[in-house]
Amino acid sequence: MRIATLQFSPKLGRVQENIVRADALLASVPAASLSNLGLLVLPELAFTGYNHTLSSILPHLEPSCAGPSTQWAVRTARRLGCLVCVGYPEISSRNPPSPGSLRPTMIDLGPGSAEKHYPVTAYNSVVAVNAGGEVVAHSRKTNLYYTDETWAQEAPEGFTALDLAVADGSGSSSVRTTFAICMDLNPHHFLPRVATRQSLTDHVLATDSRLLVLSTAWLTHLPSSALEGPEAARPDDDTLVYWFNELQALIQDDERRVCVFANRCGEEAGKAHPNEDGEGDGVRYAGSSWIGVVGKGRVRLGRIMGKGVEGVCGVVDTKSLDAGGGWDLKFEEGGEEIKRLDEDD
């Protein structure tokens, strides 16, 4: 499989401007570099931005697999001849919330409407479209972050896996795939892992998924100055350490699996937590998108982006990683250091 991610800094609520920006970044890559691409992955809430309140996101909720984000994915998938996965805020009148879950979002239809308020269910979702413009996968966030909880519901179906046809240069192959979104990597509500609540890595192992695709808007605690200048080109090591700790079950498994982490970069106004006092000093994102293979005690990276860089995170041929391409990382569970194996003494 040849895989790429698009890391960029969408502006909050400026959907069309963000779409234009994504198109420009893709257009800046030589066409030959994107030839025979199998999968392109964009971040969570790629075109709406992430740090919304309930009132700010309502105008940007998109019908299931039918809004601007899906339409962009259809156009781009047809143009590039590959699968395209993009995160978006979904509005659905189907699948009402189960008893005990959050109340449905109430949509104000405006003055003069026959029905002033209409209860709907909103989700933080990803959609995947194939080269023919057909929706072939759709997944909703299961573990909500604090910001999501102001407007979205948990996925009633939980984690899911499907067999996905991915072009591999000589046709296509079927790959058991799990799509997930950001906080899904964490324990539910950051609580200790319990046997009654399946973790994302448990799900990947139980379904024998060989491809894990995570669209994310992962935050960083670094100051703005660390996202600018020469530092912007370096990955966020603290975030990588955290991700690899959460992936330990897959890293230590005997099977090798492809992982695609498509994060965003940049900053947004607002609070990092809805209960934070005052207006907040904004939120910053960790970037550091990567594509690699994990398993057999190793993380083999094909490409990784800096924490403050916009652009395409290379095109990684996962067959080359299986053949020894890329570079191995040395990382111990619970550790605080990532080291390339070729740096060992």
Side-chain angles (χ1 to χ4, degrees), residues 72-101:
W72 181 89
V74 168
R75 293 193 305 272
T76 305
R78 286 173 171 164
R79 180 171 60 84
L80 297 179
C82 70
L83 284 162
V84 173
C85 174
V86 60
Y88 78 102
E90 177 193 5
I91 183 172
S92 174
S93 57
R94 303 189 303 273
N95 299 324
S98 58
S101 68

Side-chain angles (χ1 to χ4, degrees), residues 221-339:
H221 296 296
L222 292 171
S224 298
S225 59
L227 307 180
E228 302 169 349
E231 276 298 307
R234 292 179 51 83
D236 183 349
D237 287 345
D238 288 345
T239 294
L240 291 177
V241 166
Y242 189 94
W243 284 341
F244 293 153
N245 267 316
E246 293 301 315
L247 288 173
Q248 272 301 308
L250 305 186
I251 293 172
Q252 300 305 326
D253 190 61
D254 289 337
E255 298 294 339
R256 296 174 64 120
R257 293 175 168 84
V258 177
C259 290
V260 183
F261 276 49
N263 197 19
R264 61 159 293 167
C265 59
E267 302 183 52
E268 287 178 331
K271 304 176 182 180
H273 191 296
N275 294 332
E276 180 182 326
D277 292 333
E279 295 296 321
D281 62 352
V283 294
R284 292 164 293 283
Y285 296 94
S288 310
S289 300
W290 62 277
I291 303 164
V293 173
V294 304
K296 300 184 183 296
R298 294 285 185 265
V299 177
R300 182 174 286 273
L301 285 182
R303 293 286 189 279
I304 188 166
M305 295 283 282
K307 52 184 168 286
V309 178
E310 291 187 300
V312 173
C313 181
V315 174
V316 175
D317 187 339
T318 57
K319 289 183 178 179
S320 72
L321 297 182
D322 290 335
W327 60 92
D328 276 334
L329 299 183
K330 179 181 180 181
F331 181 77
E332 301 295 335
E333 181 173 6
E336 298 181 352
E337 181 182 10
I338 301 170
K339 187 176 183 182

